[in-house]
Amino acid sequence: MQLVLALAASAFTYQSVWACSGHDHDEEAHVHRRAPPSTHLTAPTRPLVWSDVNIIHTTDSHGWLMGHQKPSLPEPYYSGDFGDFASFVSHMKKIAEEKDVDLLLVDSGDLHDGTGLSDGFPPGGVDAHDSNKLFDQLPYDVLAIGNHELYIYANTLDMHTNFAPKFPGRYLSSNVNITIAGKDGKPESVPVGSRFAKFKTRKGRRVTSLGVLFDFTGNDKNTTVQKVEDMVKESWFKEAIHEEPDFFLLVGHMPVSHDNWPTVFNAVRAVHADTPILILGGHTHIRDCQQYDGRSIALESGRYMETVGWLSADLDERNHKKNITFTRRYLDPNRVTYEFHTTRSNRTFDTSLGKKITKGLNALAKKFDLSSLFGTAPRDYTISRDPYPSNGSLLSLFIEQATPAALAINNTRADIPNIVITNSGELRFDVYGGAFTKNDQLTASPFADTYLYIPNVTFGVAKQVLPTLNNEGANEKRSLEREQELYARGDVSMRYKRWLEEMDRRDGQEKRAAKNLTLGYVTKDGCPGIGDDTMHSPLPFFSSPDFVSSKPPNVTDDTPIDLVFIDFIADQLLQVLSSLGSGTNYTEADVLSYSPTLSNAVLGLYAQEAWN
Ligand SMILES: *[C@@H]1O[C@H](CO)[C@@H](O)[C@H](O)[C@H]1NC(C)=O
Ligand SMILES: *[C@@H]1O[C@H](CO)[C@@H](O)[C@H](O)[C@H]1NC(C)=O
Ligand SMILES: *[C@@H]1O[C@H](CO)[C@@H](O)[C@H](O)[C@H]1NC(C)=O
Ligand SMILES: *[C@@H]1O[C@H](CO)[C@@H](O)[C@H](O)[C@H]1NC(C)=O
Ligand SMILES: *[C@@H]1O[C@H](CO)[C@@H](O)[C@H](O)[C@H]1NC(C)=O
Ligand SMILES: *[C@@H]1O[C@H](CO)[C@@H](O)[C@H](O)[C@H]1NC(C)=O
Ligand SMILES: *[C@@H]1O[C@H](CO)[C@@H](O)[C@H](O)[C@H]1NC(C)=O
Ligand SMILES: *[C@@H]1O[C@H](CO)[C@@H](O)[C@H](O)[C@H]1NC(C)=O
Ligand SMILES: *[C@@H]1O[C@H](CO)[C@@H](O)[C@H](O)[C@H]1NC(C)=O
Ligand SMILES: *[C@@H]1O[C@H](CO)[C@@H](O)[C@H](O)[C@H]1NC(C)=O
Ligand SMILES: [Zn+2]
Ligand SMILES: [Zn+2]
């Protein structure tokens, strides 16, 4: 057995995936399929466990349909694009037919905001409108709405008008409505998709499905999010769950730990004490699994197409009291993984749909000019794998070098000493050494925030603002309130970072020292057995403050300076500044616009200057 596995592993190497045959005349494919890294990808070693009902799960894809394209580890482990994923799904469907079992494909939302494919559209466009036309070519059985579908009304409307009809009755928004002009022209609130779905699987199993969003408060005008605890009291809900199906498939954009799934679960259990309940969650971007009882399971499958989830349930047991045997697996989405589990070779793997989607992705990247080059990054800059401050910290690069340089361009106040303050959450993804393109800028720093300033703050006062802002995080009560408020508005960075920190602390140093595993996620969840499909050693983790600032100028305490900050933190900053005993109560009236440059342009402007 060992020998067979070892051979399988060496047959599926990264080289064989990326080597381009001389006959390939697909120009677009050549542009975007980057040169192979020197590393070989480790293949999985255990086949997937198939049962009566099996599920492939994606969530929080946020436009990462091209796969991760950088050569630094662990990125190549996530290099499968959505065309590869489509081929994988087709082969798995065929295997399910051969085994005569059910296989469902499920998505838990957040299709917007994250890469150039979703966000790189020209003025007048709608976020993710084009990338969704590639996403919707996959045979999803059930999909749920995410919070990132709701920050901008036009995006929600696009989902309602163009996306939902591609999956008739299966795009679910149980507690999310949109207000549109009704038949008589009057505003009317309607579900964005459908509230629930009842359907039969290929094998004839009856399924009742929901699509639930966590208690999100950051949604745009003319969209409505009903609290989960109120949703389960609705008469439509009670009617929908009344009839007993063979199993409940509860899909939703809600994490399986520390959120409201138990509210939905308990409402169903109150009516059906033993019916199997399969929950597919999302939103906190982590790999997680919980069992609320012995006849249910709840899976969450990461983010950014860094994870494809697998769930199997052995449902055909006669004893309705017995615990159900479930398995779950977190797959690294790359061709080595996909080929291993479908027992296909590089040559027999691609389906015509897969190739068509890859072509479509490359054509869209070209249309949006995503390869447009700002400069060449001299090294990797990370959000949490390097200490802050340090030369490898993306936060250090952004606030100490890039922001001051970008804001000085064409700025009449550039000669006046200043301090610039931003929140760390402004940065969303690492910057890797090599080409720094329009796509990289959109992934690293996607938020279009403006820079404001207050003139004439004495340096002695201004220099206290950053430590005071960060100290409020040290006050446990204030910090908890702030976290809850940010969480309700959709910020999951605290939860995601805590997950990374926990896996590094558990056995990061020891596993990395052994040097026999590559970097990646190392999951410990609430379900039995090992969840990760490919073994890794944990990514190093360094915590960073909630707020960071540029290097203070070398001036005396009584020197007046410009206090510059990002608009996202204006309220907190004004409060703190007023509390510092300068005698001034600062309000919005004291705030001016510092620069027309937006925060999402800063890294590109810097790269043009410093990385050319
Ligand atoms: C593997 O497949 C890809 C995509 O179809 C192709 O471009 C490449 O040439 C193949 N590599 C090998 C070694 O056959
Ligand atoms: C909400 O939508 C309705 C119907 O289209 C429209 O009349 C109304 O102005 C919108 N309200 C806001 C605040 O955008
Ligand atoms: C959502 O839309 C339905 C159908 O129009 C309506 O009955 C319901 O009151 C709406 N719910 C909310 C929370 O707005
Ligand atoms: C059944 O599952 C529950 C919840 O996971 C667990 O507490 C219980 O011990 C299990 N019972 C048996 C007989 O395995
Ligand atoms: C950080 O970069 C600076 C400037 O390039 C260099 O002088 C310094 O040695 C670097 N520090 C470390 C620890 O590499
Ligand atoms: C600075 O000004 C020049 C000349 O007007 C203009 O071409 C350039 O786009 C400006 N740069 C920025 C970042 O605003
Ligand atoms: C800055 O503050 C000083 C002292 O309060 C005042 O004399 C000066 O006019 C102010 N300058 C500006 C530009 O507001
Ligand atoms: C890696 O090395 C450690 C320590 O030497 C060992 O315990 C572990 O089994 C090795 N893992 C693999 C996958 O070879
Ligand atoms: C700060 O300025 C003072 C006075 O101009 C000067 O003596 C000192 O060397 C400067 N310090 C640094 C770190 O530049
Ligand atoms: C500061 O100004 C705000 C807004 O005008 C006001 O609500 C607040 O009470 C003022 N605080 C003090 C201490 O004057
Ligand atoms: Zn997300
Ligand atoms: Zn989300």
Side-chain angles (χ1 to χ4, degrees):
M1 193 63 185
Q2 276 300 338
L3 181 68
V4 174
L5 291 178
L7 280 175
S10 63
F12 294 94
T13 61
Y14 203 73
Q15 295 290 345
S16 68
V17 175
W18 290 87
C20 271
S21 80
H23 309 291
D24 190 346
H25 290 290
D26 189 337
E27 285 302 321
E28 284 160 358
H30 270 290
V31 172
H32 293 284
R33 293 238 166 198
R34 300 287 161 84
S38 53
T39 357
H40 289 211
L41 291 189
T42 312
T45 53
R46 302 168 296 159
L48 296 171
V49 177
W50 288 78
S51 290
D52 308 313
V53 171
N54 307 279
I55 295 174
I56 295 174
H57 182 219
T58 54
T59 188
D60 296 87
S61 50
H62 289 286
W64 282 85
L65 307 186
M66 300 270 282
H68 294 235
Q69 301 175 334
K70 301 295 180 180
S72 293
L73 287 168
E75 295 299 284
Y77 279 92
Y78 318 133
S79 58
D81 72 20
F82 225 62
D84 300 329
F85 181 60
S87 298
F88 172 67
V89 170
S90 301
H91 296 309
M92 293 294 275
K93 288 255 176 196
K94 215 162 278 157
I95 295 172
E97 274 179 41
E98 283 159 19
K99 292 182 185 288
D100 200 26
V101 295
D102 278 322
L103 174 64
L104 300 175
L105 180 61
V106 171
D107 182 77
S108 295
D110 271 6
L111 305 189
H112 293 88
D113 306 333
T115 74
L117 275 190
S118 49
D119 311 349
F121 55 89
V126 173
D127 190 279
H129 174 82
D130 292 82
S131 51
N132 280 350
K133 285 187 187 160
L134 296 157
F135 190 96
D136 71 24
Q137 293 184 33
L138 270 82
Y140 278 99
D141 293 282
V142 180
L143 309 94
I145 196 165
N147 58 302
H148 277 266
E149 276 75 76
L150 300 171
Y151 284 102
I152 295 171
Y153 179 79
N155 299 352
T156 319
L157 185 63
D158 188 48
M159 297 309 273
H160 175 71
T161 314
N162 298 313
F163 187 76
K166 298 280 170 54
F167 302 96
R170 302 293 184 87
Y171 184 62
L172 303 184
S173 61
S174 303
N175 58 338
V176 185
N177 276 15
I178 181 168
T179 303
I180 52 170
K183 287 194 191 80
D184 52 2
K186 282 192 197 133
E188 188 187 356
S189 176
V190 296
V192 180
S194 306
R195 280 171 158 169
F196 63 91
K198 293 190 182 196
F199 62 96
K200 272 193 181 165
T201 64
R202 197 182 64 84
K203 291 287 293 164
R205 290 187 177 84
R206 290 160 304 137
V207 184
T208 297
S209 240
L210 300 171
V212 186
L213 181 65
F214 76 102
D215 290 350
F216 174 53
T217 62
N219 54 308
D220 202 359
K221 286 181 194 116
N222 270 342
T223 71
T224 319
V225 180
Q226 184 182 38
K227 284 198 158 160
V228 174
E229 63 178 50
D230 294 329
M231 178 194 75
V232 301
K233 292 177 198 148
E234 291 268 0
S235 55
W236 73 259
F237 179 87
K238 290 178 179 156
E239 277 163 35
I241 65 163
H242 180 261
E243 183 187 20
E244 186 185 20
D246 290 309
F247 64 93
F248 284 94
L249 182 65
L250 307 185
V251 184
H253 197 74
M254 178 153 72
V256 303
S257 301
H258 311 296
D259 209 308
N260 280 320
W261 273 121
T263 305
V264 187
F265 175 83
N266 291 337
V268 174
R269 267 290 169 261
V271 185
H272 305 287
D274 310 314
T275 314
I277 301 179
L278 312 187
I279 296 176
L280 284 312
H283 181 58
T284 40
H285 294 178
I286 70 173
R287 296 177 172 185
D288 197 8
C289 180
Q290 298 296 333
Q291 285 193 261
Y292 305 136
D293 67 15
R295 293 182 61 78
S296 66
I297 191 163
L299 182 75
E300 183 174 345
S301 304
R303 63 164 200 180
Y304 299 170
M305 289 311 286
E306 292 170 349
T307 301
V308 166
W310 172 260
L311 185 65
S312 76
D314 190 358
L315 295 188
D316 281 346
E317 291 172 88
R318 283 171 178 257
N319 188 339
H320 279 207
K321 303 282 177 214
K322 229 175 97 187
N323 282 356
I324 293 172
T325 303
F326 294 104
T327 75
R328 55 85 181 78
R329 196 77 69 76
Y330 308 105
L331 278 57
D332 288 353
N334 58 64
R335 287 178 65 107
V336 175
T337 296
Y338 292 153
E339 289 168 13
F340 177 88
H341 288 304
T342 56
T343 60
R344 297 278 160 162
S345 70
N346 186 50
R347 217 182 271 167
T348 60
F349 179 72
D350 296 291
T351 62
S352 53
L353 175 65
K355 284 194 268 196
K356 184 178 142 212
I357 291 177
T358 298
K359 244 190 174 154
L361 291 166
N362 292 330
L364 182 56
K366 202 170 182 182
K367 181 174 150 196
F368 286 176
D369 199 19
L370 299 183
S371 300
S372 160
L373 191 69
F374 288 115
T376 305
R379 57 167 296 163
D380 294 351
Y381 297 92
T382 76
I383 293 173
S384 61
R385 277 153 60 190
D386 292 88
Y388 171 82
S390 77
N391 285 356
S393 162
L394 182 59
L395 293 172
S396 295
L397 175 79
F398 183 76
I399 197 64
E400 287 172 13
Q401 296 177 53
T403 309
L407 293 185
I409 299 171
N410 298 348
N411 195 330
T412 52
R413 297 192 74 82
D415 291 338
I416 300 167
N418 65 58
I419 293 180
V420 192
I421 300 181
T422 183
N423 56 314
S424 314
E426 200 64 29
L427 293 159
R428 193 136 178 260
F429 197 75
D430 298 340
V431 168
Y432 286 97
F436 184 77
T437 63
K438 177 180 173 189
N439 191 48
D440 299 322
Q441 174 169 260
L442 286 165
T443 61
S445 126
F447 306 110
D449 292 325
T450 61
Y451 289 94
L452 307 173
Y453 79 110
I454 300 174
N456 216 16
V457 179
T458 57
F459 178 64
V461 170
K463 73 181 179 187
Q464 297 173 57
V465 172
L466 179 76
T468 312
L469 274 169
N470 279 323
N471 263 335
E472 297 214 325
N475 173 329
E476 221 164 279
K477 187 160 163 285
R478 280 297 298 271
S479 147
L480 195 67
E481 278 170 12
R482 187 157 86 195
E483 178 170 337
Q484 280 169 350
E485 203 260 331
L486 285 171
Y487 183 79
R489 278 159 61 195
D491 184 346
V492 296
S493 61
M494 290 114 5
R495 293 265 191 107
Y496 176 71
K497 282 186 189 167
R498 207 167 294 151
W499 183 59
L500 292 180
E501 184 170 22
E502 186 274 327
M503 76 176 67
D504 178 35
R505 195 182 293 159
R506 199 185 331 125
D507 51 16
Q509 272 194 347
E510 194 185 324
K511 282 206 166 162
R512 285 192 296 272
K515 287 192 162 48
N516 55 0
L517 294 169
T518 52
L519 289 182
Y521 294 128
V522 183
T523 308
K524 187 172 186 292
D525 58 20
C527 293
I530 295 172
D532 295 319
D533 190 43
T534 304
M535 299 308 145
H536 294 288
S537 55
L539 304 158
F541 179 86
F542 295 91
S543 61
S544 46
D546 294 342
F547 301 88
V548 291
S549 94
S550 57
K551 289 219 169 93
N554 182 18
V555 295
T556 53
D557 275 0
D558 57 359
T559 310
I561 70 162
D562 286 344
L563 181 63
V564 185
F565 52 94
I566 209 121
D567 60 352
F568 187 77
I569 64 167
D571 290 351
Q572 282 159 299
L573 187 128
L574 289 173
Q575 268 178 30
V576 161
L577 184 59
S578 301
S579 75
L580 288 173
S582 64
T584 314
N585 183 16
Y586 288 95
T587 68
E588 276 176 33
D590 302 303
V591 174
L592 301 164
S593 168
Y594 189 70
S595 163
T597 297
L598 300 177
S599 59
N600 62 359
V602 159
L603 283 172
L605 289 168
Y606 174 74
Q608 279 172 332
E609 262 187 15
W611 290 347
N612 267 312

